[in-house]
Amino acid sequence: MLIIGCSNSRALAKKVAEQLGASFSSLEAKHFPDGELYLRFLADVRGKDVVLVQSMQPNPTEALIEAIFAAETARELGAKRVGLVAPYLCYMRQDTRFKPGECVSSRIVAKLLRCVDFLITVDPHLHRYRSLGVVFSVNTMKITANGLLAAYIKEKIKNPVIVGPDWESYQWAEEIAKQCGAPVTVMEKKRYSSRHVEVKLKNDVSIAGKSVVLVDDIISTGHTLIEAMKALKGHKPRAFYCLGVHGLFAEGALGKLKRAGVRTIVSTDTIQNPTARISVAKLLAEALESHTKVFK
Ligand code: R5P
C-alpha cells in the first residue's frame, strides 16, 4: 500500500503510513501563474493500492478538486486501486434544498467522488442522511473519534458535564458521556443564518461548579458554541471546555471563542490547526487495514 499525503494532510498521512508500516510519498501540488492547480506524483504508483489522504479543509473546493485530479491521475498511471481517506469530508451540511433553487452540494460531491474505489472518513456530518451509503455509490467507511474525545475528557477534565449544543450533536454528546460516565444534556438551537444562531438549555441538568464540556462534530464560525456558553453562564459552571472533532475555525472563530471565556479548546487532527491535540492516525490506519482486507 502506498500512502499519498495531499496538500491538506501531509503530516497526518505520514503518521498513518508509519502506523501501517507502509510507504509514504507527498503529492507535489502547486499553482500555475493563473491559479490553476498543478499536481505530480513523486512515487511510482503502477500496480499499487494507492491511498490518497486529503482533508477537505481548508479551501474545501480546491481540496476536493485536488483529490479528484489525483485519483484520476493515479489510475492513468496504472494504480491497482485508489482509495481516498478524507478525514474531514466537506459540503455534507448542505444535505437538502433549504430554499428553492439551492444546490444540494453533498449529493454532487458524492457523485464526483465516484472516481475512487473507497472512501474512509471521520464523523461525517450525517443529519438528514441515515448513512453515507444513501448518497455515495462507492464503498464507504465512517469511523468515529468519540472514543478519543472521551479518553481526553477522562484524563484531563475533572467533574465534567457533557453538553451537546444542538439536537444534531446528540450522537457525539451521548456516546461520549456514556464512555466517560458523565451526565449529559443536549441543548436546543435555532439557526437563522450561517452566522446567527440561538441556543437554549432545555432541562435543569446540574451545571453549578461543574466543568461544562461542549462537544460538537464541527466548530466552524464558533457561534453555536459561543451562544451555548452565553446561555449556560448564569448556571455558574466552574469552566467551559470546547471539544470538536473537526476544527474549521472560520472567520477568526478561535479568537472569538477565547474571548467568550472558554478555558480550553481541543480538536482532532482531521484538520491541521493549533488546537489539534488528538490524533486520528491510529484509527485511520486500523480502518485502512480492515477496509483493504474486506474489499480485496
Ligand atoms: C451543525 O449542526 C454542526 O453540527 C455544528 O453545530 C455547526 O456546523 C457549527 O457551526 P458554527 O461553529 O458556525 O456555529
Side-chain angles (χ1 to χ4, degrees), residues 211-223:
S211 302
V212 168
V213 185
L214 285 152
V215 297
D216 210 348
D217 57 338
I218 295 172
I219 309 176
S220 180
T221 66
H223 286 118

Side-chain angles (χ1 to χ4, degrees), residues 93 125 166 168 189 191 194 216-224:
R93 283 173 292 173
H125 188 84
D166 56 19
E168 294 163 35
K189 174 166 92 178
R191 184 174 281 286
S194 302
D216 210 348
D217 57 338
I218 295 172
I219 309 176
S220 180
T221 66
H223 286 118
T224 298

Side-chain angles (χ1 to χ4, degrees), residues 219-233:
I219 309 176
S220 180
T221 66
H223 286 118
T224 298
L225 297 181
I226 291 169
E227 292 305 314
M229 286 194 281
K230 276 191 199 159
L232 296 174
K233 256 186 190 144

